[in-house]
Every structure is written in structure tokens, then in C-alpha cells.
Amino acid sequence: MKKVFIGLALILVAVLIGGILPAVAQETPPAPAPAPAVRSTAWLGLEVMGINPELAKRTGLNLGVLVTNVVENGPAAKAGLLAKDVILTAAGKAVNSPGDLEAIVKAAKPGDPLALAGRRGADANTWSITLGERPAPTPPGIPGLPE
């Protein structure tokens, strides 16, 4: 008798599980979250450094950022910026550190105009730039394979 009850119990469990598992397996999984919108990054096409005390002594400026490199054919080059120019304002806001300039550019989108003001040597200067789209990084070549 005991064996019959155990056998019936196992059959009942198997039937219950057999009825539940297919129902669980048929539930549709939740839809994947939508991919975030890809936003192009605005690009100025130059490198800058902050004005340190030694540079301030040489230039007479203690505000702004010094342009250290201008990317050939980039937006800054097309607007006429050169290495050694000093940028004092961008979009009408004071630029006292590389981070200030970066924040202004990051808030814009490719194609937006950006007005810069600063100095080239002793002369005040302004530049009107159309921001470009940051180029994708190029992977380094693999030695032994043609590029």
C-alpha cells in the first residue's frame, strides 16, 4: 500500500510539473531595452593646455588656454587657428582651463558654429568655427600586413 501511495505521489508530481513547466517555458521573454541613441561628438580639431605660472610670465596672460596643436584640415585649422594662439572665450564664456573649452564643445553638435576670442601674440583675435564630427579612431596597423 505504501508503495502505491508513493507511486501515485510521484505520478501526481510528474503531472503537475509536466503541466507547469511547458506553461513557464512558453512565456515570452521581456523585450530588450532599446539601444541608446548614438549622438555624434562635436570636434574642434585642436589640443590646448592651461596657462601655468611660467607661461603666464612669458605671455603676460594668466587666463585662457594655449593652443599647442592644430589638426591639419580640422575645423580649427580651417578657421585659421595656429599653435601658440591663446583662447580666452568660447561661445561668449570665459575659458580658463582645457576643461572649460571641452565642456563648451561637448554641449554642441557637429555643424554648430562656435565663436572664439583670444590673442595671437600681442594682437586680439576672433575666430568663427563650424564644429566638425569627431573622427573615429583608427586602429594601429598590424606589423607585416599592408595598410
Side-chain angles (χ1 to χ4, degrees), residues 11-128:
I11 291 171
L12 182 60
V13 168
V15 168
L16 286 175
I17 290 176
I20 292 172
L21 288 181
V24 170
Q26 290 176 0
E27 289 182 22
T28 56
V38 176
R39 183 175 189 263
S40 299
T41 305
W43 181 58
L44 194 50
L46 54 74
E47 296 174 15
V48 297
M49 66 179 270
I51 305 286
N52 60 36
E54 182 182 325
L55 192 56
K57 199 183 303 181
R58 287 195 338 228
T59 63
L61 296 169
N62 56 4
L63 298 173
V65 293
L66 177 70
V67 176
T68 58
N69 184 43
V70 179
V71 176
E72 188 177 337
N73 295 318
K78 290 176 182 174
L81 271 101
L82 301 173
K84 299 185 183 177
D85 285 341
V86 175
I87 299 170
L88 299 169
T89 67
K93 298 175 185 166
V95 174
N96 294 313
S97 71
D100 292 344
L101 183 59
E102 182 179 0
I104 292 165
V105 173
K106 276 187 174 181
K109 19 182 220 314
D112 284 352
L114 180 65
L116 300 178
R119 302 193 70 77
R120 177 172 290 157
D123 300 326
N125 215 329
T126 59
W127 300 274
S128 295

